[in-house]
């Protein structure tokens, strides 16, 4: 039997005794990251608030290292678990260093006097999230992204065994999203910190998580590894997508393709065509693409945006039937856009060079 550090057993969450999500069964080992995903309003924050005892649970139990969390005193819980929520904190007349230092209160006496060790932990926590330069700055005058990192430093300063984060990357630009999650991942690896969080960025969830729980309706619809969650067609179903597309393997998200008969044929491959596909989509120009191997970098975007894709199985020579269909599309289109360096195509790609010459002879390029 596996020894889980964190578990929910038949957990039921809701408001004022009315169930919202039932029979929540989650489990996590030390050093693992669990991410909740699902549509807005699905109840991810409600689950997290129930886990941290901010909301009374309707039923079931939350267990930390074999102990029901209801049995833990506030002090015991605060030395084991720290929390970063999306709600804005508004401390008055406090520097960023002061805010981070409040994470040491579970370890200080009644008067909250910091020891030398406490001050060292505060310093190290701020260095870890790269905010040492903000120590003396008024917390209220920092940006949203800086505030988020200050709150993470505060949580780290608590020296927890498990940390709960609600949409921690919401106010961060792409640089700090990656830095923030890299810090979380490194702490899970080196300090065996367990993490439970919610994320909207599916691509990041798939990269950082050991386990993912999908919240849908009144239940956890799926719970497992990213490989078990991101199966073909599942994410559009989970989010009830009616326009555009999402490709689970690459995390590729595309808008709705233009409608109508293809006006252009894009001869592409090796990742050279995706930007052109998206430009044609923005312009509302229907297009066809090919010939693309199904494992080509361009294939997911072409499949999502093109009227038709002439594809070939991975690692196979291009068959004559595919060539014939590509020539028919070139004849039917008004123009051909070539994104490849046809002068340096290898022997395996010689058919693509033939299509280029075919289009050129017909004045379609």
């Amino acid at each position: 039997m596996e020894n889980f550090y964190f578990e929910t057993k038949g957990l039921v969450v809701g408001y004022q005794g009315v169930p919202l999500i039932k029979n929540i069964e989650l489990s996590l080992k030390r050093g693992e990251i669990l991410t909740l995903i699902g549509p807005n309003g699905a109840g991810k924050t409600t689950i997290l608030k129930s886990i941290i005892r901010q909301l009374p649970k309707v039923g079931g139990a939350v267990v930390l290292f074999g102990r029901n969390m209801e049995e833990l005193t506030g002090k015991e819980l605060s030395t084991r678990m720290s929390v970063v929520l999306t709600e804005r904190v508004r401390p008055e007349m406090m520097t960023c260093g002061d805010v981070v230092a409040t994470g040491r209160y579970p370890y200080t006496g009644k008067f909250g006097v910091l020891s030398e060790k406490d001050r060292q932990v505060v310093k190290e926590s701020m260095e870890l999230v790269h905010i040492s330069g903000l120590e003396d700055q008024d917390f209220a005058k920092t940006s949203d992204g800086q505030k988020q990192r200050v709150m993470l430093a505060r949580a780290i300063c608590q020296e927890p065994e498990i940390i709960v984060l609600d949409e921690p990357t919401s106010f961060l630009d792409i640089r700090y999203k990656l830095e923030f999650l890299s810090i979380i991942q490194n702490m899970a690896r080196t300090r065996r910190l367990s993490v439970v969080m919610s994320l909207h960025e599916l691509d990041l969830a798939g990269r950082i998580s050991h386990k993912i729980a999908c919240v849908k309706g009144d239940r956890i619809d799926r719970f497992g590894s990213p490989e078990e969650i991101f199966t073909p067609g599942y994410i559009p179903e989970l989010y009830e997508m009616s326009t555009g597309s999402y490709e689970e393997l690459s995390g590729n998200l595309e808008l709705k393709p233009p409608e109508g008969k293809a006006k252009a044929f894009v001869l592409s491959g090796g990742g050279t065509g995706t930007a052109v596909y998206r430009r044609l989509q923005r312009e509302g120009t229907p297009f066809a693409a090919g010939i693309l191997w199904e494992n080509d970098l361009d294939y997911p975007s072409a499949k999502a945006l093109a009227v038709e894709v002439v594809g070939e199985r991975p690692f196979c020579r291009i068959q004559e039937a595919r060539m014939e269909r590509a020539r028919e599309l070139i004849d039917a289109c008004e123009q051909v856009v070539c994104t490849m360096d046809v002068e340096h195509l290898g022997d395996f790609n010689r058919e693509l060079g033939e299509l280029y010459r075919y289009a050129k002879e017909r004045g379609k390029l």
Side-chain angles (χ1 to χ4, degrees):
M1 184 174 178
E2 292 185 281
N3 294 318
F4 295 110
Y5 178 75
F6 165 84
E7 294 178 89
T8 62
K9 298 183 176 181
L11 179 64
V12 182
V13 303
Y15 294 89
Q16 298 177 335
V18 179
L20 176 64
I21 305 170
K22 305 172 186 176
N23 196 32
I24 302 169
E25 298 278 345
L26 306 174
S27 55
L28 199 62
K29 297 178 181 179
R30 289 292 299 272
E32 288 188 330
I33 298 172
L34 163 63
T35 302
L36 304 181
I37 65 172
N40 286 333
K44 299 184 295 295
T45 298
T46 303
I47 293 173
L48 295 181
K49 287 184 175 180
S50 299
I51 287 171
I52 66 175
R53 301 198 316 200
Q54 187 170 331
L55 278 177
K57 57 184 173 48
V58 179
V62 180
V63 178
L64 275 182
F65 206 48
R67 292 184 64 187
N68 191 318
M69 272 183 55
E70 297 295 325
E71 302 172 359
L72 300 177
T73 66
K75 182 175 177 63
E76 284 179 311
L77 187 60
S78 62
T79 56
R80 289 196 160 192
M81 175 184 285
S82 60
V83 178
V84 179
L85 298 180
T86 51
E87 285 131 353
R88 308 290 181 87
V89 291
R90 303 184 185 279
E92 296 183 7
M93 306 295 291
M94 291 181 72
T95 66
C96 293
D98 294 334
V99 173
V100 174
T102 61
R104 295 304 298 168
Y105 286 177
Y107 304 95
T108 63
K110 292 182 180 179
F111 299 104
V113 178
L114 300 180
S115 67
E116 189 58 39
K117 178 190 174 182
D118 292 325
R119 295 184 187 282
Q120 184 62 30
V121 174
V122 171
K123 180 181 177 182
E124 291 173 357
S125 300
M126 296 187 75
E127 288 174 350
L128 194 60
V129 298
H130 311 298
I131 55 167
S132 298
L134 300 179
E135 183 175 5
D136 298 321
Q137 187 166 329
D138 186 344
F139 178 81
K141 295 180 180 178
T142 57
S143 69
D144 286 337
Q146 289 172 329
K147 285 185 175 70
Q148 194 77 335
R149 287 189 288 149
V150 170
M151 297 310 295
L152 177 61
R154 178 186 179 277
I156 293 170
C157 193
Q158 227 170 298
E159 295 185 305
E161 296 172 359
I162 183 169
I163 185 170
V164 178
L165 308 109
D166 187 18
E167 298 177 22
T169 58
S170 294
F171 305 117
L172 304 178
D173 62 32
I174 188 63
R175 170 191 169 185
Y176 289 120
K177 281 182 196 289
L178 295 176
E179 279 193 9
F180 191 102
L181 293 179
S182 293
I183 291 165
I184 294 295
Q185 187 180 65
N186 185 58
M187 292 187 67
R189 287 173 180 164
T190 61
R191 303 188 186 186
R192 299 189 68 210
L193 176 72
S194 300
V195 180
V196 180
M197 64 179 171
S198 62
L199 278 181
H200 278 304
E201 298 92 343
L202 298 179
D203 54 339
L204 296 179
R207 286 163 171 76
I208 194 174
S209 309
H210 297 90
K211 301 279 183 65
I212 294 178
C214 306
V215 187
K216 183 180 182 182
D218 64 350
R219 67 190 187 280
I220 300 296
D221 193 57
R222 282 192 185 185
F223 174 61
S225 67
E227 295 75 22
E228 293 170 315
I229 300 301
F230 293 104
T231 56
Y234 179 67
I235 294 300
E237 175 191 327
L238 175 66
Y239 285 86
E240 299 180 348
M241 292 172 57
S242 57
T243 59
S245 65
Y246 180 83
E247 205 277 325
E248 285 83 1
L249 182 61
S250 64
N252 197 51
L253 186 67
E254 298 291 357
L255 294 169
K256 185 179 179 180
E259 295 180 358
K261 185 180 177 182
K263 295 181 179 180
F265 184 89
V266 185
L267 187 58
S268 52
T272 65
T274 297
V276 175
Y277 308 155
R278 291 173 178 166
R279 178 174 177 177
L280 290 168
Q281 190 276 342
R282 289 195 299 272
E283 295 172 353
T285 302
F287 68 94
I291 297 173
L292 292 170
W293 282 272
E294 292 171 2
N295 61 345
D296 192 280
L297 288 172
D298 282 329
Y299 191 79
S301 294
K303 195 71 176 173
L305 297 175
V307 173
E308 182 178 341
V309 181
V310 183
E312 183 57 272
R313 291 176 301 161
F315 313 113
C316 293
R317 293 303 300 247
I318 295 174
Q319 302 299 305
E320 179 55 33
R322 312 286 191 273
M323 290 289 289
E324 183 59 31
R325 182 54 186 156
R327 286 191 286 262
E328 289 173 359
L329 287 169
I330 288 172
D331 290 338
C333 289
E334 297 171 6
Q335 62 177 327
V336 173
V337 180
C338 181
T339 65
M340 300 180 298
D341 180 3
V342 294
E343 299 296 326
H344 296 90
L345 292 175
D347 181 66
F348 197 76
N349 300 308
R350 66 171 181 263
E351 290 86 358
L352 300 180
E354 291 176 18
L355 287 179
Y356 174 83
R357 289 186 289 275
Y358 182 86
K360 187 174 181 181
E361 289 168 2
R362 281 149 184 77
K364 293 292 183 83
L365 284 175

